[in-house]
């Protein structure tokens, strides 16, 4: 798995910190070796609504069946030619049921595992300590860098986040310009290789912008000229990458350039460009770039995405909205506009998912989703925005729902996981493996109870 690009990324991202960082004490769970049958649960399937008093069977890390009374499957009517095959399937199914661990989930809820998008999970341990921050790299054009090279699966932060139901996180490089590649990782693993979820390539571009436009005319002119230079540099980088791909196809490459070589999947339509942009102007400029090069576009941030919904629809762009709990960005906007934007995106039929961009603070993702329920989304839509829709942002089609064939990422809770006051998460399963919910916060809580 470690190719030349990744080897270079390891050197540049500063992997040595991962080796010196303190590790948490929780052991990763072993692979599922026995089928598990949850009975009489309220199942939040995401794909098929909420099923009351239903069962869920999972085996070998996958969800096998969802329905009522799964312990007594009814015979199926088949044609004569398929009879032997059906009998065999029923026999295998019956064997799974007979040997399954049965968990009575009466009056409890089953949810799909939550997916945290746009995080620096495992890249940052203490934000104020530079040696423990491997989220960004120097340079303006770094498409060859992979955030996974610096991911620390033993981070103390990971167990404190997954206890709120987050089973997977998109680990994203930060910086200016073209910052590198992200990946979706499991929150319970021994190594980054164990954690990695297979998906298409994900490139991240932080769209150039001016943080504060000066009131001084000369300074403002200087800022605008610098902004134009940075945007031109982005276009030039993608133009150089495009020329490199054409030269490579023609067999006329004299010198390998890892930057442009890494970008190949983007030009081939096998990758997505995640552009971090908030304002309408930034988003429109990102759309123009996408149209120019034919890239698949995902807007990250998207505060003004609802304002340009039609333009986004033209290129089938998607939005990862990460401003759910923020204040308005303009003085003349309603105080609760940031809370309403997910509903506005839904109304405008813009495909979106919710994110809580952070490392340790991404634990608030389910509660941020719950906030949207008071401002226009239904509970089912809010849950979908941090599970199934989040998986779709990464072009992954077997995560984020409780349905046959999906990965067995499941949360067992006594209450509503979108409500911090009554979530009551009892256990979490990743690929059918029951993970340890102990963490540093709980250890310290128990310690100081004894003071």
């Amino acid at each position: 798995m470690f190719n030349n690009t990744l080897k270079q990324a390891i050197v540049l991202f500063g992997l040595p910190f991962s080796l010196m960082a303190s590790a948490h004490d929780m052991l990763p769970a072993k692979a599922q070796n026995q089928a598990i049958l949850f009975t009489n649960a309220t199942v939040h399937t995401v794909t098929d609504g909420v099923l009351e008093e239903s069962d869920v069977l999972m085996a070998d890390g996958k969800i096998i069946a969802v329905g009522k009374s799964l312990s007594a499957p009814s015979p199926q009517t088949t044609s004569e030619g398929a009879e032997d095959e059906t009998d065999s399937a029923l026999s295998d199914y019956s064997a799974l049921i007979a040997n399954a661990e049965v968990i009575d989930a009466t009056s409890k809820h089953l949810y799909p595992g939550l997916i945290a998008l746009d995080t620096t999970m495992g890249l940052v341990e203490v934000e104020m300590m530079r040696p423990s921050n491997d989220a960004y790299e120097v340079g303006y054009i770094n498409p060859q860098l992979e955030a996974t090279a610096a991911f620390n699966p033993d981070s103390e932060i990971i167990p404190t986040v997954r206890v709120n139901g987050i089973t997977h996180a998109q680990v994203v490089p930060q910086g200016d310009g073209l910052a590198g590649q992200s990946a979706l990782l499991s929150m319970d693993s021994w190594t980054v290789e164990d954690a990695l979820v297979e998906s298409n390539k994900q490139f991240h571009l932080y769209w150039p912008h001016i943080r504060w436009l000066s009131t001084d005319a000369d300074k403002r002119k200087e800022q605008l000229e610098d902004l134009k230079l940075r945007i031109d540099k982005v276009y030039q980088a993608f133009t150089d990458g495009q020329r490199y791909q054409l030269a490579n196809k023609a067999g006329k490459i004299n010198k390998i350039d890892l930057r442009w070589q890494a970008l190949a999947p983007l030009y081939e339509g096998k990758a997505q460009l995640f552009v971090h942009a908030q304002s309408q102007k930034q988003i429109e400029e990102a759309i123009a770039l996408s149209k120019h090069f034919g890239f698949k576009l995902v807007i990250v941030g998207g505060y003004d995405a609802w304002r340009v919904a039609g333009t986004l629809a033209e290129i089938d762009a998607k939005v990862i909205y990460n401003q759910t709990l923020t204040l308005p960005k303009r003085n003349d906007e309603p105080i609760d506009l940031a809370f309403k934007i997910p509903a506005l995106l839904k109304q405008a039929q813009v495909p979106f998912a919710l994110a809580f961009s952070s490392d340790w603070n991404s634990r608030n993702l389910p509660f941020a989703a719950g906030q949207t329920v008071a401002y226009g989304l239904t509970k089912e839509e809010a849950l979908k925005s941090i599970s199934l829709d989040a998986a779709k942002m990464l072009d992954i089609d077997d995560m984020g729902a409780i349905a046959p064939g999906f990965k067995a990422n499941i949360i067992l809770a006594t209450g509503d996981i979108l409500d911090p006051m009554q979530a009551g998460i009892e256990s979490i399963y990743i690929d059918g493996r029951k993970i340890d919910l102990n963490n540093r916060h709980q250890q310290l809580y128990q310690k100081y109870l004894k003071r």
Side-chain angles (χ1 to χ4, degrees):
M1 185 174 292
F2 280 76
N3 53 30
N4 290 334
T5 301
L6 191 51
K7 288 177 181 176
Q8 184 190 37
I10 290 174
V11 175
L12 293 177
F13 257 109
L15 186 59
F17 167 70
S18 297
L19 302 178
M20 75 180 201
S22 59
H24 63 69
D25 300 327
M26 280 53 75
L27 292 176
K30 294 181 180 179
Q32 184 182 8
N33 57 13
Q34 181 184 13
I36 297 175
L37 177 65
F38 296 95
T39 61
N40 302 315
T42 299
V43 183
H44 300 259
T45 67
V46 175
T47 56
D48 193 27
V50 180
L51 305 180
E52 301 288 346
E53 298 181 354
S54 293
D55 303 347
V56 174
L57 175 67
M58 60 185 190
D60 299 323
K62 295 280 188 179
I63 296 172
I64 306 301
V66 180
K68 292 183 179 293
S69 303
L70 293 183
S71 57
S74 58
Q76 302 179 17
T77 303
T78 61
S79 62
E80 185 176 347
E83 189 173 333
D84 291 342
E85 183 178 341
T86 302
D87 288 344
S88 176
L90 284 174
S91 176
D92 292 343
Y93 181 85
S94 298
L96 280 178
I97 293 290
N99 297 300
E101 174 190 357
V102 179
I103 298 176
D104 184 5
T106 301
S107 301
K108 296 179 182 179
H109 299 259
L110 290 179
Y111 295 90
L114 308 182
I115 299 173
L117 298 173
D118 192 35
T119 78
T120 51
M121 196 77 63
L123 303 182
V124 177
E125 201 68 20
V126 181
E127 290 181 354
M128 297 300 292
M129 292 177 58
R130 178 62 187 91
S132 74
N133 189 335
D134 288 334
Y136 59 91
E137 187 52 81
V138 296
Y140 196 70
I141 304 297
N142 292 312
Q144 78 283 10
L145 298 184
E146 299 182 8
T148 52
F151 177 72
N152 174 23
D154 286 332
S155 169
E156 287 277 11
I157 292 174
I158 290 175
T160 70
V161 169
R162 69 190 184 195
V163 75
N164 277 4
I166 296 171
T167 60
H168 293 79
Q170 181 196 26
V171 180
V172 176
Q174 295 185 324
D176 296 317
L178 195 50
Q181 303 174 40
S182 66
L184 185 66
L185 299 174
S186 165
M187 294 292 93
D188 183 67
S189 69
W190 285 102
T191 67
V192 66
E193 292 87 355
D194 296 337
L196 190 62
V197 176
E198 185 175 351
S199 63
N200 293 334
K201 293 286 186 179
Q202 307 157 21
F203 294 91
H204 287 261
L205 170 63
Y206 290 80
W207 195 262
H209 67 286
I210 300 172
R211 185 174 178 84
W212 299 107
L213 190 62
S214 176
T215 55
D216 180 78
D218 291 337
K219 180 64 175 176
R220 185 166 61 250
K221 181 181 178 182
E222 183 181 326
Q223 287 178 315
L224 293 172
E225 289 175 349
D226 177 67
L227 176 63
K228 184 179 183 304
L229 286 174
R230 286 186 285 148
I231 293 176
D232 288 345
K233 195 171 182 179
V234 168
Y235 268 88
Q236 187 60 54
F238 285 119
T239 300
D240 290 345
Q242 189 176 52
R243 289 171 178 166
Y244 185 90
Q245 310 309 320
L246 294 173
N248 190 36
K249 289 180 180 178
K252 295 183 179 181
I253 294 295
N254 297 321
K255 182 181 178 181
I256 293 177
D257 191 315
L258 292 178
R259 296 173 301 167
W260 314 140
Q261 190 178 61
L263 280 174
L266 197 55
Y267 296 97
E268 295 168 356
K270 299 177 182 178
Q272 297 184 104
L273 181 63
F274 291 72
V275 179
H276 297 249
Q278 297 287 1
S279 71
Q280 180 172 340
K281 184 174 186 296
Q282 286 181 295
I283 295 170
E284 289 174 338
E285 290 171 337
I287 291 171
L289 175 83
S290 174
K291 286 183 175 180
H292 183 82
F293 291 102
F295 295 152
K296 295 180 179 179
L297 179 65
V298 180
I299 297 295
V300 183
Y303 183 82
D304 282 343
W306 62 280
R307 300 177 186 271
V308 290
T311 314
L312 288 169
E314 288 180 16
I315 58 172
D316 296 322
K318 299 178 284 191
V319 175
I320 296 174
Y321 180 66
N322 60 13
Q323 302 292 300
T324 306
L325 298 181
T326 63
L327 293 173
K329 294 190 178 297
R330 301 176 182 91
N331 293 334
D332 58 349
E333 290 178 338
I335 189 68
D336 58 355
L337 178 59
F339 310 153
K340 294 178 178 178
I341 288 176
L344 293 174
L345 291 171
K346 182 72 177 180
Q347 182 179 349
Q349 298 183 333
V350 176
F352 74 96
L354 298 183
F356 204 99
S357 305
S358 180
D359 40 84
W360 63 271
N361 215 19
S362 60
R363 75 192 70 188
N364 289 322
L365 175 65
F367 311 142
Q371 175 81 353
T372 67
V373 176
Y375 290 88
L377 292 188
T378 65
K379 281 189 176 183
E380 289 74 21
E381 289 168 344
L383 176 62
K384 187 181 178 185
S385 72
I386 56 176
S387 53
L388 184 63
D389 286 341
K392 288 180 178 179
M393 290 293 128
L394 309 181
D395 288 337
I396 294 173
D397 58 8
D398 63 350
M399 292 178 62
I402 301 180
F406 277 67
K407 292 185 177 179
N409 303 320
I410 288 180
I411 304 164
L412 176 64
T414 58
D416 182 358
I417 63 169
L418 302 184
D419 184 344
M421 299 301 293
Q422 59 161 307
I425 293 177
E426 291 188 348
S427 55
I428 296 175
Y429 297 79
I430 298 179
D431 294 329
R433 303 176 295 113
K434 185 177 181 180
I435 66 173
D436 188 350
L437 294 187
N438 191 12
N439 60 65
R440 184 69 170 162
H441 286 181
Q442 292 183 9
Q443 292 169 355
L444 290 174
Y445 174 71
Q446 293 299 325
K447 173 182 176 179
Y448 288 103
L449 277 179
K450 300 176 174 61
R451 185 178 180 186

